[in-house]
Amino acid sequence: MNIDGIPTRSLRAYPEQRAIAIIDQTRLPHALHWLRVATLEEAGHAIRSMQVRGAPLIGATAAYGLALALDFEASDRRLAEAAALLRSTRPTAVNLHWALARMEGALAPLPADARCAAAWAEAAAIADEDVVQNKAIGRHGLALWRDLIVADGQVLNVMTHCNAGWLATVDHGTALAPVYAAHDAGIPVHVWVSETRPRNQGLLTAWELEQHGIPHTLIADNAAGLLMRNGRVDAVIVGADRIAANGDVANKVGTYLKALAAADNGIPFYVAAPCSTIDFACADGAHIPIEERDGDELRLLHGVDERGVPSALRQLPAGEDVANPAFDVTPGWLVRAIVSERGACAASREGLLALYPEEARA
Ligand code: MRU
């Protein structure tokens, strides 16, 4: 994606300095602040505190976090402890677990003195593959949408939830990849962006669409049903944090309600995700761990004051009981298609195995 017209990835690696740079997403959309991450602990904190977020970017950051951990010591014990620390940061996005398993699989057989350099190389491969896969998701998603365009010049009205864009990946995004592909192909596209309480990742989506010059409108989460009913949405597309083997999809809380409203209004509901988000070891959505986050995310409202200084407003007393599940599960039957780097498939065991036949043999 372009920042100030310059193609930029959301994560930069500096292996020679033993550091990476991430965008502190807790400061967006008010400030674009690059943060240097140079230790395992800083990488773990960045993921846990959601300075980086979004399933694929969490995976790539964790991979680099493991590389950072092996700088001074790369024993079996250090490798296992570092992976365990990173694995404990967030439970739902399977890309985190996938990336760490891939890193450990590549590093464990090597002698300790070869592990650090190999870790940087493997993390770079994970990041590079994410970019290529998301670009392919953009092509496949756009191919599906072409059927929705019935007249020349028609503006395609797409709704999304949360942020499954450039900021949630290393580049291009997943759900937003077809949006960028449409825009770059000269197809007029407009995006309905839902706020996504309580962490307001919709503001990140609005920010990055603005950077790329894509028309969009921010809505309160509860406005989505009305817009669908009034014929103002041609398609809904979201990302995923984990797709179970039967096609059930865990994504940001509120996704399920959008899928229900889309079904009631005959609007196609798509899920875009790379293979690293598909968990063939997880039978169905009921087995996906749902992250429960701190209640203060609901009790406090975050923004900046009139001087642009980050500040919080209390909307609920500290003792108020709240529940804050960060994700929900949309059953596969509400999903028109899953779009991955290999193409589109039905959100079912058969559909996923048709795209990934090697998993049937695994
Ligand atoms: O809690 P977050 O912000 O990490 O959750 C992100 C989402 O739910 C995204 O929609 C999902 O990870 C897809 S990211 C391409």
Side-chain angles (χ1 to χ4, degrees):
M1 201 194 72
N2 294 342
I3 298 277
D4 296 331
I6 301 165
T8 310
R9 286 186 176 188
S10 66
L11 182 155
R12 297 172 178 155
Y14 303 98
E16 64 295 341
Q17 296 176 26
R18 299 279 188 263
I20 60 170
I22 56 163
I23 295 171
D24 182 352
Q25 299 193 24
T26 64
R27 297 188 58 179
L28 283 172
H30 310 289
L32 176 58
H33 179 74
W34 287 88
L35 195 65
R36 181 182 157 90
V37 171
T39 66
L40 165 69
E41 289 71 24
E42 286 172 358
H45 172 75
I47 298 170
R48 198 184 294 277
S49 67
M50 296 174 66
Q51 287 172 325
V52 289
R53 41 142 305 279
L57 185 60
I58 290 171
T61 306
Y64 280 113
L66 207 55
L68 292 168
L70 303 183
D71 195 12
F72 294 111
E73 186 200 333
S75 63
D76 287 354
R77 202 179 81 174
R78 175 71 173 159
L79 181 59
E81 286 178 357
L85 182 148
L86 291 162
R87 207 173 275 120
S88 71
T89 51
R90 297 197 69 190
T92 304
V94 77
N95 307 57
L96 171 70
H97 305 266
W98 169 88
L100 290 169
R102 174 168 161 174
M103 293 290 287
E104 284 187 285
L107 302 176
L110 301 178
D113 63 358
R115 284 179 179 166
C116 185
W120 282 95
E122 193 66 20
I126 286 173
D128 289 347
E129 284 170 30
D130 183 60
V131 177
V132 173
Q133 290 179 343
N134 296 335
K135 188 98 180 150
I137 288 173
R139 281 196 307 277
H140 296 307
L142 179 56
L144 292 177
W145 287 353
R146 285 190 189 276
D147 294 344
L148 303 174
I149 302 169
V150 291
D152 273 355
Q154 174 195 334
V155 176
L156 202 57
N157 278 294
V158 176
M159 180 177 283
T160 192
H161 186 57
C162 192
N163 173 264
W166 175 77
L167 284 164
T169 62
V170 180
D171 203 352
H172 304 301
T174 54
L176 292 192
V179 171
Y180 290 124
H183 179 79
D184 293 348
I187 296 168
V189 59
H190 164 265
V191 186
W192 295 109
V193 179
S194 55
E195 186 186 20
T196 317
R197 286 279 295 142
R199 291 289 299 221
N200 296 342
Q201 287 94 332
L203 307 189
L204 305 177
T205 296
W207 179 85
E208 67 166 84
L209 291 173
E210 181 70 26
Q211 294 293 318
H212 209 80
I214 297 180
H216 59 278
T217 308
L218 191 87
I219 56 166
D221 296 324
N222 292 336
L226 176 78
L227 291 168
M228 289 193 219
R229 193 140 186 88
N230 287 353
R232 302 182 69 188
V233 180
D234 298 311
V236 181
I237 188 162
V238 298
D241 291 83
R242 192 182 299 227
I243 299 174
N246 73 338
D248 291 349
V249 174
N251 192 51
K252 182 53 56 190
V253 69
T255 299
Y256 175 46
L257 287 176
K258 285 196 170 56
L260 286 173
D264 193 43
N265 290 282
I267 296 167
F269 182 93
Y270 301 106
V271 172
C275 57
S276 50
T277 305
I278 306 169
D279 186 356
F280 282 97
C282 180
D284 57 40
H287 290 87
I288 299 177
I290 300 295
E291 179 177 13
E292 181 72 29
R293 290 191 63 86
D294 194 321
D296 275 353
E297 291 185 350
L298 280 158
R299 295 187 195 99
L300 301 173
L301 296 173
H302 290 274
V304 291
D305 66 16
E306 65 282 0
R307 288 164 297 140
V309 177
S311 53
L313 271 181
R314 175 165 296 284
Q315 66 165 358
L316 274 176
E320 191 70 43
D321 195 22
V322 299
N324 188 18
F327 301 94
D328 62 23
V329 175
T330 299
W333 66 78
L334 292 175
V335 177
R336 175 72 59 92
I338 289 172
V339 187
S340 87
E341 74 285 351
R342 291 204 187 165
C345 71
S348 63
R349 168 167 279 279
E350 298 69 32
L352 288 168
L353 289 178
L355 274 195
Y356 297 95
E358 68 274 22
E359 295 294 336
R361 295 187 289 273

